[in-house]
Amino acid sequence: MADGKKTDDYELRDINSGKGYEPPLNVPKIGGSTPLTAATNNPVFPVLSYCGSSILMTVTNKYVLSGFGFNLNFFLLAVQSIVCVVAIQMCKSSGIITYRDFNSDEARKWFPVSLLLIGTIYTSTKALQFLSIPVYTIFKNLTIILIAYGEVLWFGGSVTGMALFSFGLMVLSSVIAAWADIQHALQNYGHSETEASAKVSTLNAGYMWMLFNCICSAAYVLGMRKRIKLTNFKDFDTMFYNNVLSIPILLVSSLLLENWSSANLEINFPPLQRNRIVLAMIFSGLSSVFISYTSAWCVRVTSSTTYSMVGALNKLPIALSGLIFFDAPITIPSVSAIGVGFVSGIVYALAKVKQSSKPKAGILPTTSQPMSASSQSTRDSFKA
């Protein structure tokens, strides 16, 4: 399962939390001023690698989920988790990366976070199944708002006026994107009331899954922030435990809740495309490792600020990939929504950079207030 699954955003483990990113591992440095050393220390390569791995994972998942009527979502996530665990274990055995060995006590503490991640990734696959990549990317920005105010409530964080402005742009871009989607459906299927109704119903289902995904993503990021203090996990520790704990749950869920009849397997894996689909599933699992490694590489060679800006700018090529590789409608409203969403990401990144360079301060209603007894009780229970 993805790190890119990462709270996208992050993803997950992603810039959406607005926190300074700390490299989870020491990316090996090659001594001497060789051409390879110069290349690995050139900021262009890690930035492009991070953007490319993010786009590849999104496009690959969309290809599997929407290309051939795929409906074995739990099975897809299980395959991704297995591939991820095998890949990072091979990297650990080769001495490329390091992470902790499995510990039952740490697993017990981390299990609730893994459950939240399963919810995050499952709702993500369902939303991506019904929505185009540009719309999915735009709506994903709304997770930032939930995370920001979750930090205000539970961690004493603050939200500046500039950040509030970016939130307004995020909401506006989502409204424009939804309106553009519905208008396109009505214009293209308006000749048939039944088809138009079915298309709008599909979009509504996608919006509902997107809402659940934003809630699960925010809960995952906030819960992980709390739990990570108990375990002191680094990035690859997080990836290892998330995937190892998720595999049995995903396999059982797939066997119990999904249709494993021969007829449905033919629908999910049609003979002519079977090999391509299987390879895409495996590749999507490897992409999570690529994202994690290139994230660490990007921060080591550049800075946390640059990484945050790259994450904001990365929204645009991901959205454009949906227009290029899939049949996402290209209309003035849809392009406008992408543009507004792109600007909102930049404004938010700039707000976090500006906020981190100043002492913590805020104005109503963007700062945490003295907590009531009920809020204090909620906070205490969250510490458990």
Side-chain angles (χ1 to χ4, degrees):
M1 238 168 10
D3 198 87
K5 297 172 187 179
K6 280 166 126 164
T7 61
D8 295 192
D9 210 229
Y10 35 292
E11 148 62 3
L12 224 358
R13 312 167 275 193
D14 175 302
I15 62 153
N16 288 347
S17 63
K19 296 296 175 185
Y21 181 89
E22 295 184 1
L25 74 165
N26 294 321
V27 180
K29 296 183 180 181
I30 303 174
S33 55
T34 64
L36 181 59
T37 303
T40 56
N41 290 323
N42 188 326
V44 173
F45 293 105
V47 167
L48 291 178
S49 298
Y50 171 68
C51 293
S53 59
S54 299
I55 293 171
L56 281 174
M57 179 153 196
T58 303
V59 171
T60 303
N61 280 340
K62 180 66 176 176
Y63 172 80
V64 174
L65 292 167
S66 64
F68 309 99
F70 194 88
N71 56 37
L72 298 176
N73 297 60
F74 281 120
F75 178 67
L76 169 64
L77 299 183
V79 170
Q80 290 178 343
S81 291
I82 293 170
V83 170
C84 184
V85 170
V86 171
I88 63 175
Q89 184 60 48
M90 290 175 63
C91 290
K92 181 180 180 180
S93 300
S94 303
I96 300 174
I97 64 173
T98 182
Y99 57 85
R100 306 179 190 186
D101 294 326
F102 185 83
N103 179 281
S104 58
D105 184 57
E106 289 179 335
R108 180 183 57 81
K109 293 177 181 178
W110 196 257
F111 186 70
V113 178
S114 294
L115 285 179
L116 288 173
L117 180 60
I118 291 173
T120 297
I121 305 307
Y122 181 76
T123 54
S124 173
T125 61
K126 296 299 290 186
L128 200 56
Q129 194 168 349
F130 294 116
L131 300 176
S132 64
I133 290 179
V135 173
Y136 170 83
T137 304
I138 291 168
F139 272 85
K140 192 68 178 176
N141 278 338
L142 298 179
T143 305
I144 298 175
I145 303 176
L146 298 178
I147 293 173
Y149 274 97
E151 290 180 341
V152 169
L153 292 174
W154 291 308
F155 299 103
S158 63
V159 181
T160 64
M162 190 175 182
L164 273 181
F165 177 64
S166 73
F167 295 164
L169 290 177
M170 291 174 191
V171 174
L172 177 61
S173 66
S174 299
V175 172
I176 297 174
W179 176 77
D181 250 8
I182 293 174
Q183 286 296 111
H184 181 266
L186 294 176
Q187 289 174 3
N188 284 269
Y189 301 96
H191 58 277
S192 171
E193 185 175 340
T194 303
E195 289 185 12
S197 178
K199 184 63 176 178
V200 172
S201 297
T202 299
L203 293 175
N204 288 337
Y207 300 143
M208 288 302 300
W209 281 114
M210 198 69 243
L211 173 62
F212 296 147
N213 177 252
C214 290
I215 294 172
C216 288
S217 298
Y220 166 71
V221 171
L222 295 169
M224 181 175 65
R225 182 181 173 189
K226 176 65 66 174
R227 289 290 173 177
I228 211 165
K229 294 180 180 179
L230 299 177
T231 58
N232 196 31
F233 277 179
K234 301 301 181 184
D235 197 62
F236 279 103
D237 298 322
T238 301
M239 180 186 291
F240 174 69
Y241 273 91
N242 273 335
N243 286 282
V244 166
L245 296 176
S246 298
I247 289 172
I249 299 173
L250 292 170
L251 288 176
V252 171
S253 298
S254 179
L255 292 173
L256 295 180
L257 302 177
E258 294 180 330
N259 184 358
W260 282 90
S261 65
S262 57
N264 193 54
L265 289 176
E266 283 291 322
I267 295 174
N268 284 272
F269 300 99
L272 294 178
Q273 290 86 24
R274 184 170 298 159
N275 291 337
R276 282 189 291 170
I277 294 175
V278 172
L279 287 175
M281 293 170 67
I282 295 173
F283 186 75
S284 64
L286 292 174
S287 297
S288 65
V289 183
F290 299 155
I291 290 173
S292 183
Y293 185 85
T294 54
S295 297
W297 185 18
C298 188
V299 174
R300 178 180 66 82
V301 175
T302 58
S303 67
S304 298
T305 301
T306 303
Y307 176 75
S308 296
M309 289 302 301
V310 169
L313 297 173
N314 198 30
K315 300 288 185 182
L316 181 60
I318 290 177
L320 292 179
S321 68
L323 302 179
I324 296 172
F325 297 109
F326 299 95
D327 60 348
I330 304 176
T331 62
I332 293 178
S334 65
V335 174
S336 300
I338 293 173
V340 174
F342 175 63
V343 171
S344 71
I346 295 178
V347 173
Y348 179 74
L350 291 174
K352 299 306 294 184
V353 170
K354 185 177 179 181
Q355 184 180 16
S356 65
S357 64
K358 293 182 178 181
K360 290 186 178 180
I363 56 174
L364 288 173
T366 62
T367 56
S368 59
Q369 301 298 316
M371 286 183 290
S372 64
S374 59
S375 297
Q376 182 65 53
S377 176
T378 301
R379 182 171 180 173
D380 292 340
S381 65
F382 196 68
K383 292 179 181 179

